[in-house]
Every structure is written in C-alpha cells, then in structure tokens.
Amino acid sequence: MHRSMTSRVPLPMTLLLVLGVLLGGMPAWAGDMPAKPLKKPADRHFIRKVNQKSYIREDNSVVESRVNINRDVEDINGGKAKKGNESGVQTWTINRRTYGNHDGTLYPMRGDGIHELNRGAFKALGIYNEMKNTPRAKEILDKMKIPEADRKAALKAFKAG
C-alpha cells in the first residue's frame, strides 16, 4: 500500500494552534458569560412603565429611560460584564450598573441611572406617572398615607424618568 505524502501537522501542534486561536480570540472576561442568555428586566423596572397596578416588592429598583438596557443585556450575554455573587444572588456589573439574575431574567440593583425605591416610593411613582405632580396626586398620596421621604424619592425618579 502506498501512503499519501500530504503534509500533516502533528496532533500536539494542531491542538496548540487551535488553543492559540481560541485563547487569542477570547477576551479576558469570557469566563463571565452566562450559561444561557439572560432576558431584559420586566417592565416594572422601567420608570415610565410603573403604574398603580405594577407589582410591588418591599425593595424595588427602576431604571431611567436614558439607560440603554438593551446594550447592557447584550454586553452581559456577550460576556463583557463582571460576574459576581451577593448573598447567593448572581450579579452582573456593566457600565457602572449592577444587575441581579432571577430565573433567567435580569433586574437592576444599583448604579448609574438606577433608583432604589421602597414600597411607598414605588407606589408614589405609579401615581406620579399617571397624574404627574399635581394637587390630585398629592391628595391621593395623602389618602394612601405615603410619607414625605417616599414621595421625594419617587419624585426624584419621576423627574429623572
């Protein structure tokens, strides 16, 4: 039998070449890619989408409309964010913002353009979004017994929109 005389690169050399290409092309943060692509935050986390029917938690966070959430999500899914863990919650930090991950969906936690609101402030934001900063909004917030500090936090978020 006659063997072909085509040039072959030995297996160890091939592996080194492949590894070199892979490692040379991979950014340093590639290990921080999520296992599965994460989804953008729910509507309740966007300042302008909060209303009186929005789901309220004890601690809430909302994002200003100037923040490019789609870019943040794309960067997180592309492995450009710093992966972390805070009290058992997987976090991703990108563009001076930190996001948590719950069941494959991101939520804003803190950072540039993110407002952290307690229950009362979140309710007040829903009122301001529907009625603006009007005497009627004040009347409703008075009836709801929303404290002044919560109103101020909500108004700050509302104005930052």
Side-chain angles (χ1 to χ4, degrees):
M1 285 250 151
H2 178 264
R3 279 184 128 175
S4 171
M5 295 303 287
T6 58
S7 65
R8 295 180 119 176
V9 178
L11 184 59
M13 183 63 93
T14 303
L15 289 175
L16 285 175
L17 287 171
V18 169
L19 280 174
V21 168
L22 287 175
L23 293 175
M26 278 187 180
W29 34 255
D32 287 345
M33 284 183 75
K36 293 180 182 176
L38 300 170
K39 294 182 235 164
K40 76 176 192 169
D43 284 350
R44 68 178 294 278
H45 292 290
F46 294 84
I47 288 176
R48 291 291 176 232
K49 293 187 178 185
V50 174
N51 60 47
Q52 292 181 66
K53 294 179 182 179
S54 294
Y55 180 77
I56 303 169
R57 293 183 182 264
E58 204 55 43
D59 297 309
N60 305 275
S61 56
V62 291
V63 180
E64 296 175 9
S65 50
R66 68 175 174 84
V67 173
N68 188 340
I69 292 285
N70 290 332
R71 185 184 72 198
D72 285 357
V73 172
E74 186 178 301
D75 287 349
I76 290 167
N77 286 328
K80 295 179 183 177
K82 184 174 189 272
K83 187 177 176 181
N85 189 308
E86 295 179 21
S87 303
V89 173
Q90 186 179 52
T91 61
W92 305 91
T93 301
I94 188 80
N95 301 322
R96 298 187 326 252
R97 287 179 284 280
T98 299
Y99 295 87
N101 167 24
H102 178 70
D103 294 333
T105 301
L106 293 166
Y107 61 91
M109 293 176 72
R110 67 181 165 281
D112 181 42
I114 296 173
H115 296 259
E116 299 172 59
L117 305 174
N118 65 19
R119 183 178 289 276
F122 192 81
K123 286 180 184 181
L125 177 60
I127 299 294
Y128 288 134
N129 276 340
E130 291 183 24
M131 301 180 182
K132 312 292 182 245
N133 186 13
T134 61
R136 179 70 179 133
K138 182 185 180 325
E139 181 184 325
I140 290 171
L141 294 171
D142 288 344
K143 285 182 183 177
M144 293 172 69
K145 298 183 179 167
I146 301 292
E148 189 60 33
D150 293 353
R151 295 178 196 203
K152 284 182 180 178
L155 206 47
K156 181 180 177 187
F158 172 74
K159 288 178 179 177

